[in-house]
């Protein structure tokens, strides 16, 4: 993934000097600066498969947020008809066009194991590239493990890590929340140093005043294993000093 990103930056030299690619653990990283916006896209957050790891990820991201900054999480709402079923034969393949060759790319789930107790699902995926006649030109298999969560669990998780959930939507267009499995968009505010809403004040004692100096206009993209299409978005606002609700 980093190799692809680096290649794209070579095609866009006008932005390359404003981008830094870093490989690391999203549960424990220190970039030495703060950002106006942090994005965890493509359901990468759900590749952190333990509650402890998810808490560490949110706390680490929170330490990198500037006052008035935002966090966006791309997740999926669970479909229990699929998550409690280990039979992958009924799962439809997903198809897309290769952006360079124009060939059809097909993704098929060839094996699945669900663990309802740990709220995880493991899948073996097969990717195939086909020519116009349907001949397979390339085939590759990979696997991933995802941890699913209910919306209220994510809200509690955000609150536990110092965020206040503000609103929730069911898709990327801002539609009202519903009960259908699929996408959702929510916003939360960082409570650190702000008690204007009658909520507890969270103080990060590990962060010194000198470390709280921020750089505006910068954003951080945290991503992990290859994700899926769609997803659930959550947005968080940092209010370290009761900052204004500025749009990202």
């Amino acid at each position: 993934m980093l190799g692809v990103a680096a290649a794209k930056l070579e095609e866009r030299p006008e932005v390359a000097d404003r981008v830094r690619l870093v490989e690391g653990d999203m549960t424990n990283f220190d970039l030495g600066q703060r950002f106006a916006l942090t994005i965890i896209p493509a359901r990468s957050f759900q590749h952190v498969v333990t509650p402890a790891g998810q808490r560490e990820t949110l706390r680490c991201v929170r330490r990198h947020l500037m006052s008035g900054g935002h966090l966006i999480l791309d997740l999926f709402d669970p479909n229990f008809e699929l998550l409690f079923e280990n039979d992958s034969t009924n799962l439809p393949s997903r198809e897309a066009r290769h952006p360079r060759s124009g060939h059809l790319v097909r993704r098929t789930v060839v094996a699945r194991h669900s663990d309802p107790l740990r709220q995880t699902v493991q899948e073996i995926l097969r990717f195939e590239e086909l020519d116009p006649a349907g001949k397979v030109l390339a085939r590759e298999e990979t696997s991933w493990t995802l941890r699913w969560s209910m919306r209220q669990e994510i809200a509690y998780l955000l609150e536990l890590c110092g965020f206040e959930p503000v609103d929730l939507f069911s898709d990327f267009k801002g539609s009202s929340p519903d009960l259908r499995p699929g996408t959702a968009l929510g916003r939360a505010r960082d409570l650190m140093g702000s008690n204007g809403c009658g909520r507890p004040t969270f103080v990060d004692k590990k962060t010194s005043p000198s470390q709280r100096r921020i750089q505006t206009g910068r954003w951080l993209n945290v991503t992990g294993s290859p994700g899926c299409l769609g997803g659930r978005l959550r947005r968080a606002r940092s209010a370290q000093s009761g900052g204004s609700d500025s749009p990202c």
Side-chain angles (χ1 to χ4, degrees):
M1 183 179 295
L2 288 179
V4 173
K8 288 183 177 293
L9 286 176
E10 292 181 357
E11 299 174 358
R12 298 288 302 276
E14 71 277 11
V15 300
D17 61 343
R18 295 188 280 115
V19 177
R20 177 161 61 113
L21 300 177
V22 179
E23 183 177 4
D25 184 348
M26 75 168 67
T27 68
N28 183 20
F29 63 93
D30 184 0
L31 301 179
Q33 63 185 110
R34 297 207 175 194
F35 300 87
L37 172 66
T38 297
I39 303 174
I40 308 182
R43 302 172 180 176
S44 297
F45 182 74
Q46 291 177 287
H47 289 276
V48 182
V49 295
T50 65
Q54 291 182 339
R55 292 194 298 270
E56 289 303 314
T57 298
L58 290 178
R59 288 166 179 160
C60 191
V61 167
R62 180 166 166 253
R63 290 193 294 269
H64 286 78
L65 274 180
M66 59 174 285
S67 178
H70 292 77
L71 164 67
I72 293 178
L73 285 177
D74 176 5
L75 310 173
F76 67 83
D77 273 331
N79 184 335
F80 293 113
E81 292 182 358
L82 297 179
L83 290 176
F84 292 134
E85 178 61 62
N86 287 320
D87 184 8
S88 62
T89 57
N90 295 325
L91 298 177
S93 298
R94 304 184 70 174
E95 298 179 344
R97 290 289 172 183
H98 194 289
R100 296 187 182 276
S101 67
H103 292 154
L104 186 69
V105 177
R106 179 182 299 151
R107 192 199 75 176
T108 305
V109 179
V110 297
R112 162 178 281 186
H113 174 71
S114 298
D115 188 334
L117 182 62
R118 293 180 173 83
Q119 296 179 203
T120 60
V121 56
Q122 298 173 302
E123 293 181 334
I124 298 177
L125 309 171
R126 177 183 298 140
F127 292 87
E128 297 174 309
E129 182 177 355
L130 295 82
D131 66 10
K135 180 181 179 181
V136 176
L137 302 176
R139 178 183 288 116
E140 180 180 347
E141 288 193 1
T142 187
S143 63
W144 61 21
T145 302
L146 299 171
R147 185 177 191 273
W148 53 267
S149 304
M150 298 295 292
R151 295 183 185 183
Q152 195 59 50
E153 181 184 356
I154 293 296
Y156 290 151
L157 185 62
L158 287 167
E159 291 178 348
L160 182 63
C161 297
F163 294 98
E164 179 191 16
V166 175
D167 49 26
L168 178 67
F169 306 100
S170 62
D171 56 30
F172 297 100
K173 299 179 181 180
S175 301
S176 300
D178 56 40
L179 298 178
R180 294 174 300 171
T183 64
L185 171 66
R187 184 174 64 161
R189 179 178 61 187
D190 186 349
L191 285 175
M192 184 174 63
S194 174
N195 57 6
C197 296
R199 303 291 186 100
T201 299
F202 293 80
V203 179
D204 188 354
K205 297 181 179 179
K206 295 181 180 180
T207 305
S208 65
S210 62
Q211 291 174 319
R212 291 176 184 172
R213 288 177 295 186
I214 57 178
Q215 300 184 38
T216 61
R218 298 179 180 270
W219 62 278
L220 172 66
N221 188 336
V222 183
T223 187
S225 301
C228 309
L229 299 176
R232 177 168 68 191
L233 284 176
R234 289 193 171 269
R235 175 174 159 186
R237 181 170 75 87
S238 169
Q240 178 178 332
S241 302
S244 62
D245 191 8
S246 59
C248 61

